[in-house]
Amino acid sequence: YQPIWYTSIKINIFWFSSLFIICCVLQVFKLITSLPGLDSEVGFKQYSDYITVGDTNEKRLFYWYMESQSDPTTDPLVLWLNGGPGCSSFGGLFEELGPFYVRPNITLGRNEYSWNRIANLLFLESPAGVGFSKSTDPKDYRTNDNTTATDSLNFLLKFLQAFPHLKSHDFWMTGESYAGHYIPTLVQKIMEHNSQFPADQINLKGIMIGNPLTYLTINNGGVTDYVYSHNLIANETYQGIKKYCNYSFPSGGGEIFDQAKCNKYSEDSATEMGTINPYDIYVDVLIHIQGYIESKGKLGSPYYPCQDSYTSKYLNDPLVQKAIHADSTSWEDCNMEINIAYSKADVAQSMLPIYTNSILHHGLKVLVYSGDVDSVVPATATRRCINELNLPITSKWRYWTDSDGQVVGGYTEVYDGLTYATVRNAGHEVPSFQPMRAYDMFTRFI
Amino acid sequence: YQPIWYTSIKINIFWFSSLFIICCVLQVFKLITSLPGLDSEVGFKQYSDYITVGDTNEKRLFYWYMESQSDPTTDPLVLWLNGGPGCSSFGGLFEELGPFYVRPNITLGRNEYSWNRIANLLFLESPAGVGFSKSTDPKDYRTNDNTTATDSLNFLLKFLQAFPHLKSHDFWMTGESYAGHYIPTLVQKIMEHNSQFPADQINLKGIMIGNPLTYLTINNGGVTDYVYSHNLIANETYQGIKKYCNYSFPSGGGEIFDQAKCNKYSEDSATEMGTINPYDIYVDVLIHIQGYIESKGKLGSPYYPCQDSYTSKYLNDPLVQKAIHADSTSWEDCNMEINIAYSKADVAQSMLPIYTNSILHHGLKVLVYSGDVDSVVPATATRRCINELNLPITSKWRYWTDSDGQVVGGYTEVYDGLTYATVRNAGHEVPSFQPMRAYDMFTRFI
C-alpha cells in the first residue's frame, strides 16, 4: 500500500536541490500564513488542505492541522472528529477545543483551554460532503460507517505520508456524539491495517470519546429516563414511552411495543420539554431574538449562545476560505443531506461488539466521557452501555477535581480496559460548555 | 382572644392627643429609620421588632416587616419562613427574595427581583432561639411542629393587631424547605382559629412552598433516585441503598431493611458525591479558599457564593442590630442547637394527611414548587409526594416561560386543588439561584 504520489515525493526529496525541496514541501504542507480577524501572532504552525481518498480519487477530505503550542516535535498527534453524521469538525475547532473562537464581530478570540497547548491537533471533515470535504460523484454523499471509516483510514495514511515526522508520534483519536461510531469503526480499520502492514503501523495509543452514540436502542431508553428524572416530562408520558417504545436493553426487554403509541408519547415528551437546549438542559437560550448574550452560564467559557452563526459567517468569508486553501464553497456546520442519506441501519447498530472485539484489551487506553447535563446522548445511557460490557471495576466511582484541586469537575469509574468520566455541568459539546474541565481531563488522559 | 396590650393601645389611640399617638404608634410599630450600608433611599417603610408569644410571655419572636414598593395599602401581606429547623428567615430576606443583599464589603446592594415590589413582606424568625428570636426559659429551645405553629399563630394574631389595617389584606404564607412542615401545620392552626373565632379571621388566601420537606421517608427515596439519575453516585451504591434502606413509599414497600448496611451505602453515597453544593449540584463552589467569586452561574442573580458570611457580618454589626431594634445578640443564619433539639418524630412525620384534611379544597390556592437542581429536597421526591395525594390532573405537565415569553423558566402541572411547578436551573433556595424566575412565579401566583 504505497500511493504513487508518496513515492514521487520521496524521489523529489532524494533527487532535487534544497531550494526545490522547500518549494515542494510548502506546496504539499499548505501552511496557513495568515488568518483574517486575528489581531495577534498565532504562535504555532498550522496547515490545511484537501487529501484525496477512495479508489477513484474523486473524493477529497479537507483537514486543518495545527501544531502544538508546547513541543510539536514530540507532542502526540490527536485527531478530533465531530459527529452528526454530517457535522464538520471545524465546528469543534472553533466552538470547542481549538485555539480560536469567532467573536460576534467575526474577529477571532483565543481559547486559553485549547487542546493544542499540549498536542498536535488534526481536525478532519468527514465523510465527503461535510464542511469543505467533497466529491465530484454525488453517489459519494450516500455514506455509512464502513465507507466513512475506510476513507478516514485512507486519509490518515496519506496525511502521515505528507507529514512523515508525525508517524513516530503517539496517535490518539478523540471526538464526540456520532464519533461514537466513527472512532470504534476507525479503530477496527486501523487494527486491520496494522496487522496487514506491520511495516506501516499507525501508532494508535488510545481513544477518548465524549457523549458517544454507542447503541441507539440503549440511548433511547437512557434519554427517556434522563428527561424524566430531570423533571422535564410528565409521569404519564414517561410511563407511556416505557410501555410502548421498544427501547429494551439487550439484556432486558419484554416491553410491549406499539409504534403509533410510542410516537405519540415521544411527541408528547418533546412538546412538554419545550424550547430548552436539549444538548445542555440548564444553559440559558435565546429563541426568536435577534442578537445574543454572552453565555455566562459556564465558568471560563468564552463561547456565545449563537456561536455557530459566527463560526459559519467566518468560514464562509471568501478571504478565510482563501487563507485556509479551501475551494470557494458554502460551508455548513452540519450538512443535513449527508445526515439524512447516512445508512440508518448503521446509525442503529451497536458499537458494543467492536469494543469487546477490537478496542478493549488491545493495548489501547480508552476514555469514554459524558457531559452530565446533555439529554441527547446522556450519561445515564452511556453508563448503561458500559454496564453491558460487563467489565470488572478496578477503581470505584469517585469524584475528580478541577486543576485547582478544590472543585468537583466530575466523576470517574475505572474498569478493566476502560475509564469512564463525567464532566459536571457540561452539555453535549463538553469542551464548549466546560473548557477548563475538558482541558484538565484531556491533559490527564493522554 | 384579646391580649391586654392590644386593648390598651386602642385606648391610647382613642384617648390621647395626636402628638402622643404618633409617639406611641412609632413605639409599637418600630419603624426602621435608617439602615447601615445603604447608599440610596429605601423607598418603602419597614418595621422590625419582637412580639411576645406563648402563655408565659417569656418567648419573643423577632420579625422584619416591609411594605410593598407598589401599593402597601392594598397589596397582599406575605409571610416568608425559612426552614431548618433552626434557620432564620432573615437569611431568606438577604439572600433570596428581600430587597437588599449584602455585598462583600458589607454594604447593601438592591435586589431588583424583590418580592416586595408587589407585596407587603413579613419575615419571621421562628421558633424561639432562631436568629434574634429568643426566650428567657431554655426549655423553649426544645421545639416541635406543634409549639412552632402555636407560637407562629400567636405571633400572627398579635402582629395583625399591631398593624390592624393589614387584617383586611389578602394573606399568603410562603417559605421553603422545612417550611414544608411549618406552613401546613400553621395552616391547620389558622383554620382552627378561624372556625373558633369567626369575628377574628385571618384572611389566608393560599400558600406557596418551595422544595418542601413533606415526608422524610419519601424524600430519602427521592434523594437516592435523584443523585443516581444525576450521575453523582456509583451503580452499586444506588442498588445498596435501594436494597437496604427503608425508604419505601407509603404505597409501595417490600424492601429489605438493614440499618448498618443502609448507613454504609449512604456514607458511600456522600463520599462519592464529593464536595459539591448539594443544594445546587451544578453551581460553582469555592472550598478552603479565602475570598470569593461572583456567582455568574445564574442569570440575573446578584448573590455571591459566600453570601451567608456577608449576611452574618452585617446582622452582627451592633449598628445594624440597633437600627433594626434587636437586642445585642450573636445572630446565626441557622442555629444548630435548635435544629438538634427539634422533635425528630415531627421531622419524620408526613404532612400529606394535613394536605388532604386541612389544605386542599378549603378555599386555599396552593402552589408547591421545586428548584430542579437541588438534591436535598429534590423535585423527584416532591413529585412523588404529590402523586401520593392522588389528585386528578386538571392541566397536564407543560413548560412555563420567563417573563420575556421565550425561555423555559420551568415546568408546571395543575391538579385539582394544587399547582406544582419547577424552576429550571434553580437550587434549594430558589429565589437566590434564579431570582427572576422566582419573582415571575410569585407574581403569577398571588
Side-chain angles (χ1 to χ4, degrees), chain A residues 230-233 235 272-274 281-282 285 287 296 379 383 387 396-397 399 406-407 411 424-425, chain B residues 230-235 272-274 281-282 285 287 296 379 383 387 396-397 399 406-407 411 424-425:
Chain A
H230 286 65
N231 301 292
L232 307 178
I233 64 170
N235 294 335
E272 284 162 15
M273 284 173 64
I281 60 172
Y282 298 120
V285 293
I287 307 129
K296 291 191 192 293
R383 289 177 77 176
N387 290 345
K396 209 190 144 188
W397 187 276
Y399 65 90
Q406 302 286 346
V407 175
Y411 298 88
R424 195 164 68 90
N425 201 11
Chain B
H230 287 66
N231 300 291
L232 307 178
I233 64 170
N235 295 335
E272 284 160 15
M273 284 174 63
I281 61 172
Y282 298 120
V285 293
I287 307 130
K296 291 191 191 295
R383 288 176 78 176
N387 289 346
K396 211 190 143 189
W397 186 275
Y399 65 89
Q406 302 285 346
V407 175
Y411 298 88
R424 195 164 68 91
N425 200 12

Side-chain angles (χ1 to χ4, degrees), chain A residues 318-339:
Chain A
L319 291 174
V320 172
Q321 296 188 345
K322 196 179 169 205
I324 64 172
H325 324 115
D327 296 350
S328 176
T329 316
S330 172
W331 181 91
E332 282 182 292
D333 189 20
C334 293
N335 183 330
M336 283 317 290
E337 284 170 61
I338 296 294
N339 180 279

Side-chain angles (χ1 to χ4, degrees), chain B residues 222-241:
Chain B
V223 168
T224 304
D225 278 359
Y226 190 90
V227 297
Y228 179 61
S229 66
H230 287 66
N231 300 291
L232 307 178
I233 64 170
N235 295 335
E236 61 266 43
T237 305
Y238 176 65
Q239 298 301 343
I241 295 174

Side-chain angles (χ1 to χ4, degrees), chain A residues 12-156:
Chain A
N12 285 347
I13 292 168
F14 193 76
W15 286 96
F16 298 99
S17 74
S18 63
L19 190 69
F20 188 82
I21 291 169
I22 289 163
C23 144
C24 291
V25 166
L26 280 182
Q27 198 177 350
V28 172
F29 278 11
K30 287 217 172 153
L31 190 65
I32 298 174
T33 52
S34 73
L35 269 181
L38 196 68
D39 57 9
S40 57
E41 281 297 306
V42 173
F44 50 85
K45 284 184 186 151
Q46 42 182 352
Y47 309 86
S48 55
D49 199 2
Y50 295 93
I51 284 182
T52 306
V53 295
D55 302 328
T56 59
N57 283 349
E58 288 171 323
K59 277 189 271 191
R60 299 190 300 149
L61 298 189
F62 196 76
Y63 72 88
W64 190 323
Y65 168 64
M66 50 188 65
E67 290 190 342
S68 169
Q69 298 183 43
S70 297
D71 185 352
T73 64
T74 58
D75 285 343
L77 173 65
V78 173
L79 174 72
W80 173 266
L81 292 168
N82 277 90
C87 297
S88 164
S89 299
F90 294 178
L93 191 167
F94 281 102
E95 293 164 26
E96 299 190 57
L97 66 148
F100 315 114
Y101 66 94
V102 185
R103 290 188 284 233
N105 65 358
I106 320 302
T107 61
L108 294 184
R110 301 295 279 258
N111 171 20
E112 64 169 313
Y113 298 112
S114 173
W115 292 10
N116 90 321
R117 277 172 60 181
I118 57 155
N120 298 298
L121 286 188
L122 173 60
F123 296 89
L124 171 64
E125 296 190 297
S126 164
V130 169
F132 294 114
S133 294
K134 52 169 68 171
S135 177
T136 51
D137 183 352
K139 282 200 300 293
D140 286 339
Y141 293 157
R142 295 186 59 84
T143 43
N144 59 46
D145 285 351
N146 184 54
T147 57
T148 303
T150 303
D151 290 348
S152 296
L153 174 66
N154 197 184
F155 165 84
L156 275 180

Side-chain angles (χ1 to χ4, degrees), chain B residues 157-202:
Chain B
L157 293 168
K158 289 186 173 177
F159 174 83
L160 290 171
Q161 287 155 358
F163 294 81
H165 63 283
L166 289 172
K167 275 204 85 167
S168 61
H169 289 221
D170 287 350
F171 177 58
W172 300 82
M173 299 204 293
T174 62
E176 79 196 7
S177 196
Y178 199 75
H181 277 231
Y182 292 158
I183 291 174
T185 51
L186 184 50
V187 169
Q188 251 185 337
K189 295 284 176 194
I190 290 172
M191 294 292 197
E192 286 164 20
H193 168 84
N194 283 356
S195 66
Q196 270 187 285
F197 302 95
D200 184 41
Q201 300 274 317
I202 291 180

